[in-house]
Amino acid sequence: MHTVPAVDAAHLPQLLQAMPKAELHMHIEGSLEPELIFALAQRNGVKLPYASVEDLRRAYAFTDLQSFLDIYYAGASVLLYEQDFYDMARAYLARAAQDNVVHAEIFFDPQTHTQRGVGMETVINGLYRACRDAEIEQGISSALILSFLRHLSEEDAFATLEAALPLRDRFIGVGLDSSEVGNPPEKFARVFARCRELGLHLVAHAGEEGPPAYIWGALDVLHSERIDHGVQAARDEALMQRLVRDGVPLTVCPLSNLKLCVVADLAQHNLPQLLEAGLKVTVNSDDPAYFGGYVNENYLQLFAATGMNSQQAWQLAVNSFDASFVTPQQRAHWMRQLEAVFAKYAALA
Ligand SMILES: Nc1ncnc2[nH]cnc12
Ligand SMILES: [Zn+2]
């Protein structure tokens, strides 16, 4: 491992905030803050089943993944026009830039919108324009990943892919999200095979609530290049060895795991153990508007709860660049920025 200048624990929070990082697991619909949901509802004349922003926020008491998804899909119902998708993504990218996110790979769930009669081009063009403008105005790089909803059929996923292909140059890959248990990766074997032929990057949620078998399926059947969540891998030693051997990144989301009761307490989160075992672990926010924080809040609360140190912070930032779908030149550029930030904080008394 690279030797990193040690940073005093007293400066760890500022280091976590200042270090450049990539965010590889966030759902753009999960960045819709209650205030923006209400503003868009008013702008578009959509009636919400909540009386106020506070009333909506009070509903954010989740017991598991499904209890969250029900509210998350209801929140997304205010998105109708290209400008809505643009405004949502600009708000996220502005907030991510404040956390020194230099690159974001962003999931979007087209079926949530096309099922309501919103056009595929409305969704993709609004998001894509926001990514481009944020790069120009804030210097943050980003890319879009189209995510299939696994509670729907593979046929629906094929129709979604077909509808998106005219805009193929505007997204870099596909993912698989929504209700995990009962919807194993094998259900989407053929549509992922088609996406692979098309040269799209492939990722999949697996082992969030679902068993290690779903992670094996994501790797062996879907050929997923990263595992989104993957925290259940620790239950299967052979799987852990496979993930280490192949350098498969896990995009872990600590506050999401806490809010969806995947872990009882952040102090018990297994991220430090996964990192120690040699897995390429990254830290991400998943659905920041719903889970109590953007990416830096995930780093800060995790480090405070587990006592992780600056060496581990370095590894997580490096992993975020290694696991991203960018060029080696781009990675090298961010590594130089990372080295400069560590040198600055290591020099503080
Ligand atoms: N954490 C999560 N798991 C599965 N699907 C999701 N969609 C948005 N967030 C998700
Ligand atoms: Zn997710």
Side-chain angles (χ1 to χ4, degrees):
M1 197 188 281
H2 192 105
T3 355
V4 190
V7 175
D8 194 278
H11 303 301
L12 194 51
Q14 293 130 282
L15 176 75
L16 292 169
Q17 161 67 39
M19 70 179 189
K21 54 188 72 74
E23 175 153 57
L24 306 177
H25 181 167
M26 72 82 52
H27 304 261
I28 199 64
E29 294 89 350
S31 74
L32 264 184
E33 293 287 346
E35 289 78 8
L36 187 54
I37 291 179
F38 269 80
L40 291 175
Q42 182 151 43
R43 183 160 104 186
N44 294 338
V46 174
K47 182 110 185 65
L48 288 171
Y50 301 95
S52 64
V53 165
E54 295 70 39
D55 196 27
L56 175 57
R57 230 184 256 286
R58 262 194 297 278
Y60 293 1
F62 313 116
T63 49
D64 58 11
L65 174 58
Q66 194 59 50
S67 66
F68 154 69
L69 290 170
D70 294 341
I71 289 186
Y72 161 85
Y73 294 128
S77 70
V78 300
L79 298 160
L80 293 182
Y81 304 107
E82 188 180 316
Q83 190 63 36
D84 304 335
F85 291 91
Y86 179 89
D87 291 345
M88 170 172 66
R90 279 308 298 265
Y92 162 69
L93 288 162
R95 183 63 190 74
Q98 284 177 16
D99 281 3
N100 290 301
V101 171
V102 292
H103 177 70
E105 294 178 3
I106 299 174
F107 291 125
F108 66 105
D109 288 344
Q111 288 151 298
T112 304
H113 314 298
T114 53
Q115 277 190 329
R116 297 179 291 112
V118 176
M120 181 66 80
E121 65 295 338
T122 302
V123 179
I124 295 183
N125 289 339
L127 298 176
Y128 185 79
R129 191 159 57 83
C131 291
R132 199 195 49 201
D133 288 356
E135 174 128 36
I136 294 166
E137 291 172 29
Q138 265 125 13
I140 181 169
S141 143
S142 58
L144 297 169
I145 299 179
L146 183 160
S147 200
F148 299 119
L149 297 181
R150 68 199 305 158
H151 67 274
L152 301 178
S153 66
E154 187 181 48
E155 195 185 352
D156 208 298
F158 264 116
T160 302
L161 176 65
E162 207 53 50
L165 281 183
L167 300 157
R168 164 72 183 85
D169 60 327
R170 303 195 159 205
F171 57 98
I172 60 164
V174 297
L176 186 63
D177 65 3
S178 191
S179 319
E180 185 183 9
V181 174
N183 295 296
E186 289 76 7
K187 182 176 164 187
F188 296 91
R190 287 168 306 168
V191 74
F192 267 66
R194 177 74 189 121
C195 292
R196 194 165 177 231
E197 282 170 7
L198 290 165
L200 286 157
H201 283 294
L202 309 175
V203 299
H205 283 52
E208 178 182 16
E209 289 183 340
Y214 284 25
I215 303 177
W216 284 108
L219 295 173
D220 291 336
V221 179
L222 302 186
H223 300 282
S224 185
E225 296 167 74
R226 299 194 294 242
I227 298 295
D228 296 314
H229 293 295
V231 291
Q232 305 298 338
R235 292 160 48 193
D236 182 336
E237 188 46 45
L239 176 58
M240 292 284 282
Q241 285 174 18
R242 165 74 182 278
L243 292 165
V244 172
R245 185 196 77 192
D246 292 351
V248 179
L250 298 193
T251 63
V252 178
C253 307
L255 287 176
S256 166
N257 294 154
L258 179 67
K259 292 294 156 69
L260 301 186
C261 307
V262 170
V263 291
D265 177 345
L266 271 190
Q268 288 166 29
H269 200 289
N270 66 5
L271 188 147
Q273 286 75 43
L274 297 170
L275 196 63
E276 178 64 26
L279 274 78
K280 196 177 284 184
V281 178
T282 65
V283 169
N284 308 272
S285 69
D286 207 5
D287 299 284
Y290 291 92
F291 299 148
Y294 287 76
V295 73
N296 279 359
E297 198 58 30
N298 277 269
Y299 279 99
L300 288 166
Q301 291 197 30
L302 177 73
F303 276 64
T306 60
M308 289 170 76
N309 59 31
S310 62
Q311 177 74 46
Q312 290 162 309
W314 167 272
Q315 194 59 52
L316 289 169
V318 171
N319 289 352
S320 78
F321 301 138
D322 277 356
S324 71
F325 297 131
V326 300
T327 62
Q329 291 76 10
Q330 188 62 75
R331 269 184 215 146
H333 173 67
W334 293 325
M335 283 300 298
R336 287 190 292 276
Q337 291 184 351
L338 184 66
E339 282 163 7
V341 169
F342 268 75
K344 174 182 157 183
Y345 283 93
L348 298 179

